[in-house]
Amino acid sequence: MLGRRSRNRREVFAFCGFISPWFIGFVLFAAVPLLVSLLMSMASFDLYGLKNFHWIGLAHYRLALEDPGTREALRDTAIFTAIFVPLGLVVQIGLALLVNSGTRLRSVFSAFFYLPAVIPTVVSVLLIWRIGIAGPNGLFDRVYHFFAPHGSVYWLDSQGRLILILFMVWSTAGLGMLVFLAGLQNVSRHLREAASLDGATRGQIVRTITLPLLTPVIFVQLILGLIAAAQMMIQPILLGGAVGLGGSPFFNAPAKGADLLPAHIFDVTFIGAAPGAGAALSWILFLIMLGATLVLFATGRLWVFYGSD
Amino acid sequence: MRIARIPILLVGAAVFVGPVVLGLGHLTHVAWGMALVNSLTIAISFTVLSTASAALAGFAFARHRVWWKNVVFLFVLSTLMVPWIVTMIPQFVIFYRLHLINTPWPWVLWGIQGTPLQIFLFRQFYASFPRELEDAAAIDGSGRLRIFWDIFVPNSKPIIAVTAVWGFILVWGDYLTQDLFFLLDPNGTLLTRITDVLPSTTQTFPTLPLALYALPPIVFFLFVQRYITQSVVRTGIKG
């Protein structure tokens, strides 16, 4: 028999072997690029092949914060996140409560709500949202004409932010609903039944029992909502108002009020071919993300309820 | 007799498989053939590799008796916090330098890492297996790899299906990465080709190709739909 010590050594060895594919990828495609991007943000060079490389220190950061385009993108991102994340949470919790009450058709309905997340973003933005919902004679136009027969609204141009928020709520609701559904399975049925026997209404039960027990899930979903907002790149570009040069969606200008920071960074880096400035902006985005997450963790203990079970 | 059987089988296989390979070879000369080949290559290689890598890592995080494994798991989750654009700028510059632009290689390399959600799902799934199964095999002298392959893998078809479909959907719909990394390739991928022919007039899109492009992920999703609900709802987000 092997000794205890050598068994432990073998266990650690096996563990390292099993996670090594992930670990190699983590180092090469997460840790190293993160550091390289920090170095790149302090340099100026060509997008293709690192030519004309000069160190310029923190100039990109200073220029970025002085640039009105970046400030506008920061403001748009803040407004978008402040509306999208809470609205998304409410929709997800609502759907989860709805689906959870009808047990027989639960999986059918959760499949319906999950479907938008399965369709490639390009297809759902172009076909469903640009044409079907926000396009001329689309759903919004018809409803609007019902109330104001002679007015007309260019939804994608004038209400770009609203359309973007609605699109994101629609496309992320399914996964969030599943996570809340999972959380609801941990909410004790006895507790709710006892409250109901004591004469509590459905609304009271949700407010005083279900929601407090769901706060850990709400916490996780808040962070995932922030992460989703920090990945908003293709959506503002595809939903952008006018399609310009060459017909490629790359040259769509995001609608007014919907030029989110990630899309702005993409534009600066790859269309403007300024990877150094882009890297600096992307680090600003990353630091804001980290800051927001730390604030959430710090305030979490005030309102997140980890049960005593 | 037994020795002769293998060459005959090989010749037989060549007769049946050969034309298929030749046919696929011709496909690359058709207008959209190369785009289709590129799309399938990146989707299949990423799906297979990321699922396999996530299964291994998820198993290790769920079953190995190593006290610092949860610290490492925090690093898995922490990669979620890094926005795509932060790591993509240096990766584009580096892959360009290495002449890996316009090839499926980046997706193969990314596949090896797996994705945090896939690793998380495998970890939650494997954590619910009874310990006795494993202990009995360990007494028989089986190593970790044997236990994983003989006991855990055959019993994890639902979670393999869910994570594989999730990986496929991730690559299939990821327009920006494909457009960047096939930037200078006139063939591109199916997705970049479909959007390339977007006319400058805003409202007339190539409706049919776009709609058809959404079909594979929807079909795969419908196949594994009941497993998704089960696996997410059952495992919960505890632990």
Side-chain angles (χ1 to χ4, degrees):
Chain A
M1 268 317 267
L2 290 160
R4 199 189 145 86
R5 213 192 157 85
S6 110
R7 255 212 323 272
N8 278 347
R9 275 245 304 272
R10 268 183 59 179
E11 186 78 355
V12 168
F13 201 69
F15 178 77
C16 293
F18 271 80
I19 65 163
S20 60
W22 166 79
F23 185 74
I24 292 168
F26 172 75
V27 171
L28 289 182
F29 306 118
V32 169
L34 202 58
L35 291 177
V36 172
S37 132
L38 186 61
L39 293 177
M40 281 179 169
S41 73
M42 296 171 198
S44 154
F45 58 96
D46 289 355
L47 178 59
Y48 299 106
L50 276 173
K51 286 178 214 103
N52 302 321
F53 194 94
H54 307 287
W55 290 108
I56 58 164
L58 294 175
H60 279 316
Y61 289 89
R62 208 188 58 237
L63 288 173
L65 294 175
E66 283 168 2
D67 175 36
T70 306
R71 277 199 203 151
E72 201 174 324
L74 277 169
R75 206 195 53 224
D76 285 356
T77 314
I79 297 173
F80 169 82
T81 313
I83 301 174
F84 157 65
V85 174
L87 187 63
L89 274 180
V90 170
V91 170
Q92 292 160 6
I93 296 176
L95 287 179
L97 286 173
L98 209 64
V99 167
N100 202 40
S101 58
T103 39
R104 179 147 303 183
L105 291 172
R106 193 161 81 178
S107 77
V108 176
F109 278 108
S110 44
F112 283 149
F113 298 138
Y114 196 76
L115 200 59
V118 171
I119 302 171
T121 310
V122 173
V123 180
S124 59
V125 169
L126 295 184
L127 281 190
I128 300 171
W129 282 77
R130 283 200 76 121
I131 298 180
I133 294 179
N137 290 320
L139 183 69
F140 283 5
D141 245 14
R142 279 165 199 238
V143 173
Y144 185 76
H145 278 255
F146 186 76
F147 293 108
H150 300 294
S152 60
V153 174
Y154 295 98
W155 293 98
L156 290 170
D157 290 329
S158 61
Q159 297 297 326
R161 183 188 290 152
L162 174 73
I163 303 286
L164 192 64
I165 291 170
L166 291 178
F167 169 78
M168 279 308 284
V169 169
W170 174 77
S171 66
T172 56
L175 186 60
M177 178 213 60
L178 277 185
V179 177
F180 276 113
L181 209 51
L184 278 175
Q185 310 311 307
N186 296 333
V187 175
S188 144
R189 156 160 280 165
H190 303 299
L191 221 52
R192 278 181 293 162
E193 278 166 2
S196 157
L197 282 177
D198 286 347
T201 62
R202 284 182 75 109
Q204 282 174 325
I205 295 176
V206 167
R207 211 174 52 241
T208 57
I209 297 176
T210 313
L211 282 184
L213 288 173
L214 276 182
T215 45
V217 189
I218 294 176
F219 183 73
V220 170
Q221 287 298 100
L222 268 181
I223 292 178
L224 288 180
L226 280 182
I227 291 172
Q231 307 278 16
M232 293 287 296
M233 229 165 320
I234 187 67
Q235 298 89 343
I237 297 174
L238 285 175
L239 279 170
V243 176
L245 306 162
S248 161
F250 267 13
F251 298 95
N252 268 18
K256 201 167 157 44
D259 187 14
L260 302 193
L261 189 57
H264 180 69
I265 301 172
F266 189 86
D267 186 50
V268 167
T269 312
F270 295 108
I271 312 298
L281 282 171
S282 74
W283 260 83
I284 293 176
L285 173 69
F286 181 45
L287 291 177
I288 294 174
M289 276 286 295
L290 279 183
T293 314
L294 286 180
V295 168
L296 271 181
F297 268 101
T299 57
R301 68 184 65 174
L302 299 177
W303 58 273
V304 179
F305 176 76
Y306 292 102
S308 49
D309 50 10
Chain B
M1 200 54 206
R2 172 153 293 194
I3 302 162
R5 206 185 286 163
I6 290 168
I8 291 172
L9 275 175
L10 281 178
V11 170
V15 168
F16 282 92
V17 177
V20 177
V21 175
L22 280 180
L24 286 179
H26 275 289
L27 191 63
T28 59
H29 302 297
V30 184
W32 287 45
M34 204 55 215
L36 175 67
V37 170
N38 281 338
S39 273
L40 289 179
T41 314
I42 63 170
I44 293 171
S45 57
F46 183 85
T47 304
V48 171
L49 288 169
S50 66
T51 307
S53 160
L56 285 169
F59 174 77
F61 286 122
R63 310 302 303 198
H64 282 237
R65 285 160 227 187
V66 178
W67 63 267
W68 40 270
K69 66 182 181 186
N70 287 335
V71 180
V72 183
F73 192 66
L74 278 183
F75 279 91
V76 174
L77 294 182
S78 73
T79 49
L80 277 176
M81 299 289 308
V82 185
W84 179 90
I85 188 85
V86 181
T87 51
M88 209 41 82
I89 297 170
Q91 286 189 66
F92 179 80
V93 173
I94 294 167
F95 279 133
Y96 187 90
R97 279 285 279 203
L98 297 174
H99 301 286
L100 291 177
I101 299 290
N102 305 333
T103 70
W105 281 107
W107 280 268
V108 174
L109 295 171
W110 291 325
I112 293 172
Q113 187 183 3
T115 60
L117 185 72
Q118 287 172 312
I119 296 176
F120 179 76
L121 286 175
F122 270 111
R123 173 179 176 263
Q124 298 301 94
F125 187 79
Y126 286 147
S128 66
F129 276 50
R131 178 126 260 171
E132 292 78 26
L133 268 176
E134 208 177 341
D135 288 341
I139 289 167
D140 288 348
S142 302
R144 277 294 183 185
L145 201 58
R146 183 124 295 262
I147 293 173
F148 171 69
W149 189 251
D150 286 350
I151 298 174
F152 283 78
V153 171
N155 287 306
S156 47
K157 280 181 195 124
I159 202 72
I160 291 176
V162 169
T163 47
V165 167
W166 197 82
F168 176 83
I169 289 172
L170 192 69
V171 180
W172 194 253
D174 183 4
Y175 172 72
L176 279 186
T177 319
Q178 289 180 27
D179 207 274
L180 269 186
F181 285 79
F182 280 98
L183 192 63
L184 308 170
D185 187 345
N187 292 313
T189 63
L190 273 188
L191 188 54
T192 64
R193 281 300 283 278
I194 293 171
T195 46
D196 269 350
V197 296
L198 286 177
S200 352
T201 46
T202 318
Q203 296 307 333
T204 47
F205 296 113
T207 317
L208 188 63
L210 270 176
L212 286 178
Y213 190 79
L215 269 186
I218 293 177
V219 169
F220 285 142
F221 166 68
L222 291 179
F223 272 122
V224 300
Q225 173 269 117
R226 65 203 168 99
Y227 293 139
I228 292 186
T229 328
Q230 274 170 18
S231 64
V232 176
V233 171
R234 282 230 184 102
T235 57
I237 58 154
K238 272 192 166 176

